[in-house]
Amino acid sequence: MDNSRVNRNGEVWVYIEAVHGKIADVSLELLSKGRELADKLAVPLAGMLIGSGVASLAAKVFSCGADRVYAADHPLLERYETLAYAKAAVALIEEHNPQIVIYG
């Protein structure tokens, strides 16, 4: 393993699944577990939102324990398409380099 790419001081991220403007219950549950892990590692907890109009959900993510929220919010992401969402997630991850990303 190339240890030069390991981010020992990064964040714990939780992918926030949003459908029709509502956050999926599994994402809220994972925020709770992510908070425990982030506290144990002494790093911030962040939510990752991907879609169209999802930035408005940031307040809910913060109220559920996130310290930060990263969003890829674009009209082209209105409908879920695996490749587009994967590209958006990879772009956010490469830009911010979290230590751990949790998906439901």
Side-chain angles (χ1 to χ4, degrees):
M1 181 163 111
D2 179 7
N3 287 331
S4 66
R5 293 198 46 113
V6 174
N7 184 349
R8 302 206 187 283
N9 298 312
E11 300 166 326
V12 171
W13 283 17
V14 174
Y15 171 73
I16 307 300
E17 181 182 349
V19 180
H20 303 297
K22 185 175 185 300
I23 297 173
D25 290 340
V26 68
S27 297
L28 300 177
E29 293 168 13
L30 287 175
L31 278 169
S32 175
K33 292 298 180 185
R35 174 84 273 157
E36 291 175 19
L37 182 58
D39 288 347
K40 187 174 185 176
L41 296 171
V43 299
L45 173 65
M48 177 175 50
L49 287 162
I50 299 174
S52 179
V54 295
S56 64
L57 300 174
K60 177 70 173 175
V61 177
F62 283 121
S63 73
C64 291
D67 300 306
R68 297 183 181 129
V69 176
Y70 298 98
D73 193 329
H74 194 280
L76 292 176
L77 296 169
E78 184 174 358
R79 275 193 12 228
Y80 176 82
E81 293 183 22
T82 302
L83 185 57
Y85 272 58
K87 284 183 178 183
V90 167
L92 286 171
I93 290 166
E94 285 180 341
E95 180 179 352
H96 300 284
N97 198 23
Q99 184 175 357
I100 297 169
V101 181
I102 303 169
Y103 284 82

